[in-house]
Amino acid sequence: MTMFNESPKPTVIRKAAIIGSGISGLTAALRLNEAGVETVLFEKSRGPGGRLASKRLADLAHGSADASADVSVDIGAQYFTVRNPSFRSFLNRYARDPDSGSETYDQWHGRLRYQASDGDWDAFHAETRYVGVPRMTAISRALAQTLDIRTGVRIERLIRPLTGQWHLNDSEGAEYGPFDAVILTVPPAQAEEIILNSHLDPLVNAFSDDIDLMQACWTVVAQYENGLGLDYEGLQPQSDVLQWAGNNSSKPGRNTSGEWWVLHGRPDWSDEHQDSPKAYVEKALLDAFSLATDTGSQPIQVHSHRWLYAKSSAKAGPGHLWFAEHQVALIGDWLSGGRVEGAFESADSLIREWKKTGDLQPRG
Ligand SMILES: Cc1cc2nc3c(=O)[nH]c(=O)nc-3n(C[C@H](O)[C@H](O)[C@H](O)COP(=O)(O)OP(=O)(O)OC[C@H]3O[C@@H](n4cnc5c(N)ncnc54)[C@H](O)[C@@H]3O)c2cc1C
């Protein structure tokens, strides 16, 4: 007799559930739709994008806190690369504004520099760097426009009754399904939780080492009323606290008054201060920023955000994990060298494997 979550014979995939709508989930859904496979994405947040994130804030230098003076500041990924020609053609095809049809990303010509251990400053290596326009989430909004995404739904576990197809339970007790396969796109600690709740414990062995490789990142956004007068737009100083500072206002299409800077804490420092009060974190990062830039200006507003799972320190990875006997796959940046482009490549590699092995069956 078949029990819950045992492994009946794998079926071809006509309809897939995707947990998470960051760049990897959105890519997987679009690639599957291209292959004629139906998809439903489940996203715990209010909108798609995941760590491709922008935060809406009132522009105080504009003289008021009303909504018309709102700005969006990139608090997750700061910029991304497009080295892989498949990523370029994917963006060309899908990352277009739903209303105007124009591209939602552009080059960022920011002058970026880092401080070597001897204290000298040098320029970042030459690379074409891109950002979403007018904010990072413009890209995820464009990718999402044709997709079925259920936002505000936190998936807690997968159930596989006698039919052999998957059903999903959310944190409110609602059930969704059936699906022929499930793709988890969440960071490894969150994937472990869903997998253990689903009584699929042995699957965790394939990625348990990755869980501790995810690093936290405290992010602070600071608005300065006037420009700081620096001759660079991004820096990585020698600091025990600050890993990166970027001038968000210098990115294309931002049109903000004053200058908005985004500061990222070092991974080890952010881990250590995971539970520190926001006021402490903000002061520490702002002090480190003042020291690194030799400026005494005080910001007119400061906000902070804690990422528990920001980036993976894994250098490379298998691309994706596919447990064919369970019809469960894992994708995400942490399986493919990190970063936005890695998240795309992870999703792309899974769908290419499925196409090659004939796992997919278009709906007739
Ligand atoms: C501070 C910071 C700076 C970064 N800087 C850069 C950079 O400069 N360049 C670069 O290339 N990359 C950068 N990155 C990394 C980049 O943002 C990620 O590699 C990429 O966005 C990851 O995409 P993903 O789809 O793999 O995961 P995510 O974007 O994390 O997507 C996972 C999604 O799953 C959702 N989710 C989680 N659990 C559940 C659940 N139970 N049910 C439903 N939904 C769930 C989440 O809300 C999220 O939307 C940065 C990241 C951070 C946080």
Side-chain angles (χ1 to χ4, degrees), residues 51-356:
R51 281 171 279 155
L52 206 62
S54 313
K55 189 171 175 62
R56 215 178 186 112
L57 295 165
D59 186 351
L60 296 189
H62 208 260
S64 82
D66 70 292
S68 61
D70 274 359
V71 295
S72 281
V73 183
D74 303 328
I75 58 165
Q78 296 295 289
Y79 56 80
F80 59 93
T81 54
V82 186
R83 297 173 190 150
N84 181 335
S86 296
F87 191 31
R88 183 169 300 281
S89 45
F90 177 81
L91 290 174
N92 281 343
R93 176 162 182 194
Y94 293 114
R96 295 192 174 273
D97 183 86
D99 304 318
S100 66
S102 55
E103 279 174 350
T104 54
Y105 66 104
D106 201 354
Q107 272 189 51
W108 180 33
H109 296 285
R111 293 159 297 173
L112 314 181
R113 63 185 216 165
Y114 71 94
Q115 192 173 28
S117 50
D118 61 6
D120 285 350
W121 289 92
D122 209 344
F124 270 34
H125 70 276
E127 169 97 58
T128 308
R129 298 178 174 87
Y130 294 91
V131 294
V133 178
R135 63 187 71 87
M136 274 295 187
T137 47
I139 299 173
S140 40
R141 179 170 169 257
L143 298 181
Q145 60 190 299
T146 60
L147 299 175
D148 180 354
I149 307 184
R150 315 286 167 89
T151 54
V153 176
R154 178 193 291 268
I155 298 301
E156 274 192 345
R157 68 184 180 127
L158 324 177
I159 321 156
R160 201 180 200 189
L162 299 172
T163 58
Q165 286 177 301
W166 284 112
H167 292 249
L168 275 51
N169 265 179
D170 73 11
S171 50
E172 304 297 312
E175 188 170 317
Y176 308 87
F179 298 99
D180 303 312
V182 180
I183 305 176
L184 285 98
T185 77
V186 305
Q190 295 169 331
E192 180 190 40
E193 205 178 310
I194 295 173
I195 285 175
L196 295 180
N197 286 344
S198 312
H199 308 297
L200 294 167
D201 306 25
L203 272 52
V204 176
N205 295 333
F207 66 93
S208 54
D209 289 348
D210 291 284
I211 294 172
D212 289 339
L213 298 180
M214 288 303 284
Q215 301 169 321
C217 179
W218 267 110
T219 299
V220 165
V221 175
Q223 182 184 18
Y224 294 88
E225 189 159 19
N226 301 304
L228 298 182
L230 304 174
D231 57 2
Y232 47 88
E233 284 78 34
L235 69 152
Q236 271 182 349
Q238 286 289 328
S239 163
D240 292 338
V241 180
L242 181 67
Q243 185 182 45
W244 156 264
N247 178 353
N248 199 80
S249 309
S250 71
K251 294 178 178 179
R254 265 51 181 183
N255 300 329
T256 49
S257 45
E259 221 165 74
W260 292 80
W261 281 79
V262 176
L263 319 180
H264 286 163
R266 287 179 60 88
D268 46 353
W269 184 87
S270 298
D271 270 331
E272 196 184 319
H273 291 89
Q274 268 186 28
D275 299 316
S276 296
K278 282 189 169 187
Y280 173 86
V281 168
E282 289 165 4
K283 182 173 181 330
L285 278 164
L286 286 168
D287 286 350
F289 179 59
S290 290
L291 190 69
T293 53
D294 205 15
T295 51
S297 301
Q298 291 303 311
I300 53 174
Q301 62 171 320
V302 180
H303 297 269
S304 47
H305 180 88
R306 184 188 67 174
W307 295 98
L308 279 182
Y309 310 113
K311 290 186 227 174
S312 171
S313 61
K315 293 282 171 268
H320 63 267
L321 295 171
W322 170 227
F323 304 99
E325 68 281 22
H326 297 286
Q327 304 279 104
V328 171
L330 269 71
I331 59 172
D333 62 337
W334 56 279
L335 285 160
S336 195
R339 305 180 304 110
V340 170
E341 192 161 8
F344 163 83
E345 286 174 337
S346 174
D348 200 44
S349 74
L350 172 70
I351 311 307
R352 275 192 282 109
E353 178 180 337
W354 278 359
K355 282 182 176 165
K356 208 158 65 192

